[in-house]
Amino acid sequence: MKRIYLDYSATTPIDRDVAEAMKPYMTDVFGNADSVHFYGRAAAAAVDEARRTIADAINASHTEIYFTSGGTEANNWAIKGVAFESLQKNIKKRIITSAIEHPSLLESVEFTEKLGFENVILPVNRDGIVEPEILENALKSGAALVSVMTANNEIGTVQDIKRLAGIAHSYGALFHTDAVQAVCSENIDVKDTAVDMMSMSAHKIYGPKGIGALYVKKGIKTERLICGGHQERSMRGGTTNVSGAVGFAAAIKKAALERDENNRRIRHLRDAFIKKIITEIPDISINGDMTARVPQNINITVGGLGDDALLHLLDRRGVACSSGSACSSGSLDPSHVLLALGLGRRQAKASLRISLGKYTTSEELDEAASIIKDCVADLRNLQKK
């Protein structure tokens, strides 16, 4: 059976050039980057070069890049680090975020309630956009931090981060953004958007798993999350993932070089696929804004279905997609993102996230559309019996 991978938002296959760049640092240049001898210095030099490459890709300084184990840790660090730092100062113990953030962000915000923080969860409109006026109203009571993701991992909606960050700063709050889903397709410039912190992850941009980064603007104070060493300029304990850092740098550099061409091709494939399934399958609706949206994302609700049977049937037919965030795949609850858009629980459970990548072909999408059409028809017929 031929298998078709349409879950690039969950993870991407590692690019072969990226894997080749990593190989020497898993075999020959194997030293601990914090050791003072030759082997350690060679590893440290590779990490330093990787840090500079990643910084250049987002228009930051290399001293503002801190390596993490991935986007989840970066989100945890951003939220909890600011909260811990705020406890030591006379800062409003209040954090504002949106209802459609990644679970790692929402659960980190929830954690701060144990520290005495008040949390405000902003609603979004039907397309998943955070309205600037709603953020401004929430900020009138003060806040230490605002966190809104750049591109949503389930519906692909892209926020006006520059405008939202400007509003936060006008009320004296810091601004963090989870850019994990945006780095591959969006031209990220932290000086232009003026964000104070930003989370990134390598495995969403054809890099290795287990490595990410938190950008922290120079002058921003945040408490460290992981203790036990002086790595990352004494801000994160733990042996440096040298090969991962090298892979992350290779991936983000290649993503920037390929971005325009990949976006053009993937957007064309996406739009053709959407047109095909809407034409051929009755009662299909698209979730999220179709203009302010990353090109690789498709999120659909299939009318008449009410559970995740379609997802499992597609898997048996060789099509790999998802019902939402991979980090929530073990949950029986419907997507919190789709509920925030106003969908009912039954509608949310009958939704699919189909995400494309640079290796996706038009032939794969034609076959996937045909399989989806057949599976939907089979399930609807079963429900009539």
Side-chain angles (χ1 to χ4, degrees):
M1 177 178 60
K2 180 182 178 181
R3 294 197 175 275
I4 301 171
Y5 186 72
L6 296 176
D7 202 16
Y8 282 82
S9 290
T11 195
T12 55
I14 191 166
D15 184 285
R16 293 188 183 278
D17 291 338
V18 173
E20 285 298 318
M22 294 172 63
K23 278 183 181 179
Y25 301 94
M26 294 185 283
T27 53
D28 301 327
V29 189
F30 58 83
N32 187 319
D34 288 283
S35 295
V36 297
H37 48 58
F38 167 81
Y39 295 93
R41 294 197 304 274
V47 172
D48 182 63
E49 183 178 354
R51 199 186 307 275
R52 292 174 185 274
T53 298
I54 294 166
D56 288 345
I58 62 170
N59 196 22
S61 166
H62 70 283
T63 60
E64 297 173 315
I65 303 297
Y66 296 87
F67 286 115
T68 67
S69 63
T72 289
E73 184 192 328
N75 281 344
N76 271 259
W77 188 2
I79 300 301
K80 296 175 184 176
V82 168
F84 292 145
E85 182 72 20
S86 298
L87 291 176
Q88 305 172 43
K89 301 175 180 178
N90 187 25
I91 297 176
K92 184 75 173 182
K93 292 199 296 183
R94 199 162 178 261
I95 295 175
I96 299 173
T97 190
S98 86
I100 61 171
E101 299 297 309
H102 189 271
S104 63
L105 195 292
L106 290 174
E107 291 181 25
S108 295
V109 170
E110 184 180 1
F111 171 85
T112 65
E113 293 177 0
K114 299 177 182 178
L115 306 176
F117 277 74
E118 174 195 355
N119 297 317
V120 178
I121 308 299
L122 301 177
V124 294
N125 66 20
R126 181 73 184 189
D127 291 326
I129 300 292
V130 175
E131 300 285 2
E133 297 78 10
I134 292 178
L135 172 60
E136 187 159 13
N137 285 335
L139 279 163
K140 289 177 181 178
S141 297
L145 175 69
V146 174
S147 182
V148 178
M149 68 198 321
T150 303
N152 186 264
N153 54 304
E154 293 192 30
I155 59 172
T157 299
V158 178
Q159 306 289 344
D160 187 348
I161 292 301
K162 182 176 181 178
R163 185 176 180 185
L164 297 179
I167 294 170
H169 292 153
S170 69
Y171 285 88
L174 297 178
F175 191 91
H176 163 261
T177 187
D178 172 353
V180 166
Q181 292 287 340
V183 172
C184 194
S185 60
E186 304 299 302
N187 183 19
I188 304 292
D189 185 330
V190 294
K191 286 188 171 61
D192 179 60
T193 57
V195 298
D196 299 298
M197 294 180 289
M198 185 175 79
S199 301
M200 298 176 283
S201 183
H203 79 104
K204 307 291 188 178
I205 58 172
Y206 306 93
K209 297 176 181 64
I211 187 75
L214 180 66
Y215 158 78
V216 182
K217 184 191 293 185
K218 184 178 179 180
I220 299 299
K221 300 294 184 182
T222 180
E223 184 62 62
R224 61 181 177 172
L225 186 65
I226 298 178
C227 303
H230 295 285
Q231 293 87 353
E232 295 304 299
R233 301 183 297 285
S234 296
M235 288 300 293
R236 182 189 184 270
T239 303
T240 302
N241 181 353
V242 178
S243 63
V246 170
F248 191 176
I252 202 169
K253 185 174 183 179
K254 190 166 185 179
L257 292 172
E258 296 179 342
R259 182 176 292 123
D260 290 344
E261 174 59 24
N262 282 342
N263 283 354
R264 182 198 62 77
R265 193 183 71 86
I266 292 170
R267 187 177 289 110
H268 174 75
L269 290 174
R270 179 198 68 187
D271 292 347
F273 179 82
I274 290 174
K275 183 178 180 180
K276 186 177 183 67
I277 60 173
I278 286 180
T279 301
E280 297 185 0
I281 306 174
D283 199 10
I284 291 278
S285 58
I286 307 297
N287 300 312
D289 192 293
M290 282 306 298
T291 302
R293 190 189 198 105
V294 289
Q296 66 269 23
N297 178 277
I298 303 164
N299 192 295
I300 63 173
T301 295
V302 184
L305 304 184
D307 55 33
D308 55 4
L310 177 58
L311 182 67
H312 297 294
L313 186 56
L314 288 173
D315 181 48
R316 290 200 290 272
R317 292 286 302 274
V319 178
C321 52
S322 69
S323 58
S325 169
C327 295
S328 301
S329 61
S331 173
L332 297 177
D333 294 327
S335 162
H336 70 284
V337 173
L338 298 181
L339 293 179
L341 300 190
L343 273 68
R345 293 177 65 86
R346 183 178 176 84
Q347 290 175 301
K349 291 286 282 184
S351 299
L352 290 178
R353 180 185 71 178
I354 299 164
S355 47
L356 319 183
K358 67 180 183 179
Y359 301 124
T360 305
T361 67
S362 58
E363 292 78 15
E364 286 179 322
L365 289 176
D366 285 344
E367 186 171 351
S370 178
I371 292 171
I372 292 171
K373 179 181 178 180
D374 291 344
C375 290
V376 169
D378 289 346
L379 290 173
R380 284 174 172 168
N381 287 333
L382 278 174
Q383 290 187 348
K384 292 177 182 178
K385 294 180 178 179

